[in-house]
Amino acid sequence: MAKHLVWFRGDLRITDNKALFSACTDPEADVLAVFIATPEQWQKHDTSPRQIAFIHKNLIALRESLAQLGIPLVCQTVPNFSASIQWLSDFAQQQQIDALFFNRQYELNEYKRDRQLISQENSFQIHIFDDALLLPPKSVLNQKGEMYQVYTPFRRAFLSQLTASDFHSLQAPTKRANAIILEENEPLFEHDDIEIAACFPVGESAARQKLRQFCREKAENYQIDRDIPAIEGTSLLSPYLAIGVLSPRQCLNRLLVENPNVLDFPDSGAFCWLNELIWREFYYHLLVAFPHLCRDKPFIAWTNYIHWNTSSADLEAWKKGLTGYPIVDAAMRQLNTLGWMHNRLRMITASFLVKDLLIDWRQGEQYFMQQLIDGTLAANNGGWQWSASTGIDASPWFRIFNPTTQGKKFDPQGEFIRHWLPELQAVPNDCIHTPHEWAEKNQVVLAYPTPIVDHKLARLRTLEAFEAGKKESIASK
């Protein structure tokens, strides 16, 4: 009788999981599952304690779902990826595994780990699947056979190829006729016991319910509501996609159920959300096409010559939400409390760090990863390089957000600001974005810092720094 092993990584679900489904295709085969925790690797990758806690909670839910199928889940902790390969090989040999099944991961270190496993002599067959994306990397190329470096033509080619492909979602496997019972092995590993925000309930069922509710009730207005942080206008599904509790195919298929004509209406809210799913694909495809993006390198080489501000005081003020710019500080406090930040605010806070404080974007990228419950290298790096004007199809380097104007535009009454900055509760709506002007005029003492930088002067400094970096790059050649 065949014995199959499923290696769970960034795909903590039983529904629409290609590796699990394939491993269970033979009704007579015994099926086991493993998850390997790698704390040293998590630390090296700046994985946030909150995301690790979220993984842990969802592993418990996954174990229960697998147990109902007659599949035991074994969890093992080893230091790093190299040790995980050794443990996996030993475990497969001990269990007399015939075939190993897993879904591909696209980051550089994960790719090298898998190549190490494939290249060694194994006593089992290996079956690998492209599961984490709607279309695998290197499948959407331009006429020269190269990766697109501009998003819009990528999206056009992506949609053309997607609609001609099979993107249906797989059902969860049926219960095994030969259920395996192993000695009890709790899927536990050492981690900080961090409370997860109520807006991110644990488990597949909860995630699918959030997906259905969003597509049915909110997708239609997403294009308008997504920029207003005071309302719940976004899907809040990114943490589930990040660790694979949901698949992108599930997201797309549910969107099509509720909005069957979405592809015919590119100006609709539903298409706007689909566009975000495609941006996610774009950033993953870029990681594979340009591996140096996984190594703290900008895509635009000349930006390496920019001389950044190294002030630790400025960086700490930004991290703690004490810059004196209310929309920036409210956003950073949301991040520090929930491990999540509204997408519009990610752009505002990133722009402020890089183009008001002139601090290296990699400092911000690292801090976000250390905090985010939904952090992934692809999306985080892509977003930061876009905001910093160092990446592919990025915001032009001379485009600099005015944080006060951004606050007035997207939180006009200060509802979001007051929620996260209680020290500004008494400030009137029309003054909430410039509270110190109001305080000075009314002789009120605020327990809130004055702006750490003058935006107009900072803008000029940043333009000069980028221009100087570009000239220095040219001179060095």
Side-chain angles (χ1 to χ4, degrees):
M1 180 181 294
K3 203 170 189 181
H4 296 168
L5 178 63
V6 183
W7 182 11
F8 283 89
R9 294 111 69 92
D11 51 356
L12 306 185
R13 64 184 185 279
I14 64 170
T15 307
D16 196 32
N17 185 317
K18 291 184 179 180
L20 176 64
F21 187 88
S22 183
C24 295
T25 300
D26 180 354
E28 300 300 321
D30 290 337
V31 181
L32 291 81
V34 296
F35 178 89
I36 307 174
T38 53
E40 288 183 11
Q41 206 76 43
W42 285 336
Q43 184 176 20
K44 181 180 179 181
H45 290 171
D46 293 310
T47 307
S48 78
R50 188 173 278 102
Q51 186 176 82
I52 292 171
F54 195 55
I55 289 171
H56 182 273
K57 292 179 183 296
N58 279 282
L59 264 179
I60 293 174
L62 176 64
R63 178 199 60 182
E64 294 173 354
S65 297
L66 288 170
Q68 293 176 10
L69 301 178
I71 302 173
L73 174 66
V74 175
C75 184
Q76 179 67 27
T77 299
V78 301
N80 50 44
F81 283 167
S82 181
S84 71
I85 296 303
Q86 185 61 56
W87 179 87
L88 185 69
S89 299
D90 292 343
F91 179 80
Q93 187 173 7
Q94 293 166 6
Q95 296 293 327
Q96 298 181 314
I97 297 299
D98 298 298
L100 172 67
F101 299 74
F102 59 85
N103 294 315
R104 205 181 306 275
Q105 292 181 296
Y106 302 107
E107 297 84 356
L108 185 59
N109 287 342
E110 285 77 354
Y111 170 78
K112 289 181 176 179
R113 173 203 59 199
D114 293 349
R115 292 306 306 171
Q116 179 185 342
L117 174 65
I118 295 167
S119 63
Q120 69 185 24
E121 187 174 340
N122 296 299
S123 59
F124 46 85
Q125 294 182 329
I126 298 176
H127 303 276
I128 311 174
F129 304 86
D130 283 295
D131 175 81
L133 300 174
L134 293 169
L135 294 175
K138 299 184 179 180
S139 67
V140 183
L141 304 174
N142 62 23
Q143 292 182 347
K144 295 181 179 180
E146 300 170 343
M147 174 61 194
Y148 287 93
Q149 297 185 27
V150 178
Y151 173 72
T152 301
F154 171 84
R155 181 184 68 185
R156 188 161 47 245
F158 182 92
L159 284 172
S160 176
Q161 191 162 323
L162 179 66
T163 53
S165 68
D166 178 8
F167 52 81
H168 79 279
S169 298
L170 299 168
Q171 297 295 319
T174 57
K175 187 173 182 179
R176 310 301 296 165
N178 303 314
I180 299 178
I181 300 177
L182 294 180
E183 183 178 337
E184 187 69 17
N185 187 294
E186 290 286 332
L188 301 175
F189 47 82
E190 290 188 10
H191 68 289
D192 295 334
D193 188 17
I194 297 175
E195 183 178 356
I196 303 300
C199 56
F200 303 123
V202 171
E204 279 186 73
S205 295
R208 290 200 303 270
Q209 176 58 32
K210 283 181 69 71
L211 173 61
R212 285 191 295 269
Q213 184 178 5
F214 171 77
C215 291
R216 184 168 54 245
E217 301 175 8
K218 298 183 179 181
E220 183 179 356
N221 297 318
Y222 177 75
Q223 190 170 18
I224 298 172
D225 294 348
R226 67 174 181 150
D227 280 327
I228 311 302
I231 64 175
E232 194 174 295
T234 64
S235 70
L236 296 175
L237 294 172
S238 53
Y240 304 100
L241 283 165
I243 66 172
V245 177
L246 281 177
S247 78
R249 290 177 301 281
Q250 288 174 298
C251 293
L252 175 57
N253 285 311
R254 176 49 55 180
L255 184 67
L256 288 170
V257 167
E258 303 295 344
N259 302 269
N261 299 317
V262 59
L263 295 176
D264 298 324
F265 296 95
D267 295 328
S268 67
F271 188 91
C272 186
W273 190 63
L274 173 60
N275 196 55
E276 294 301 311
L277 291 177
I278 302 174
W279 269 105
R280 176 180 180 270
E281 303 273 324
F282 183 55
Y283 285 142
Y284 270 107
H285 285 230
L286 289 174
L287 283 189
V288 175
F290 306 103
H292 67 277
L293 296 176
C294 297
R295 295 173 169 160
D296 290 332
K297 302 295 184 182
F299 184 79
I300 300 175
W302 69 260
T303 60
N304 271 318
Y305 290 84
I306 296 171
H307 295 278
W308 301 105
N309 169 21
T310 59
S311 168
S312 58
D314 286 351
L315 179 61
E316 286 303 305
W318 175 81
K319 288 180 178 180
K320 294 177 180 177
L322 297 172
T323 69
Y325 285 88
I327 194 66
V328 173
D329 294 338
M332 293 304 296
R333 295 191 200 181
Q334 180 185 51
L335 173 66
N336 294 334
T337 302
L338 299 181
W340 181 87
M341 186 191 290
H342 187 278
N343 185 60
R344 166 58 58 175
L345 302 182
R346 297 189 196 206
M347 292 188 283
I348 293 172
T349 54
S351 176
F352 186 85
L353 181 75
V354 177
K355 295 181 178 177
D356 277 84
L357 300 183
L358 197 60
I359 290 176
D360 192 332
W361 59 271
R362 283 161 284 219
Q363 300 259 41
E365 179 193 16
Q366 180 185 47
Y367 187 70
F368 266 37
M369 279 300 293
Q370 292 170 345
Q371 299 298 319
L372 287 170
I373 191 172
D374 64 352
T376 64
L377 174 60
N380 193 48
N381 178 271
W384 272 95
Q385 293 225 45
W386 186 91
S387 294
S389 304
T390 64
I392 291 176
D393 202 14
S395 171
W397 59 270
F398 47 81
R399 181 189 180 193
I400 300 176
F401 283 168
N402 181 321
T404 303
T405 302
Q406 289 286 306
K408 290 178 179 179
K409 183 175 182 180
F410 298 112
D411 189 31
Q413 304 302 312
E415 295 176 59
F416 178 82
I417 288 171
R418 285 192 185 82
H419 179 80
W420 294 104
L421 305 181
E423 59 267 45
L424 299 184
Q425 288 290 341
V427 181
N429 291 350
D430 58 349
C431 302
I432 192 65
H433 303 285
T434 53
H436 289 97
E437 294 180 8
W438 170 82
E440 182 178 357
K441 181 179 179 180
N442 292 276
Q443 298 183 332
V444 175
V445 177
L446 287 177
Y448 180 66
T450 55
I452 63 173
V453 66
D454 182 294
H455 173 69
K456 291 183 179 179
L457 297 178
R459 180 179 180 277
L460 293 175
R461 178 182 66 165
T462 296
L463 292 174
E464 291 172 359
F466 271 72
E467 187 66 39
K470 198 169 187 178
K471 290 180 180 178
E472 186 175 337
S473 170
I474 295 172
S476 70
K477 295 179 180 178

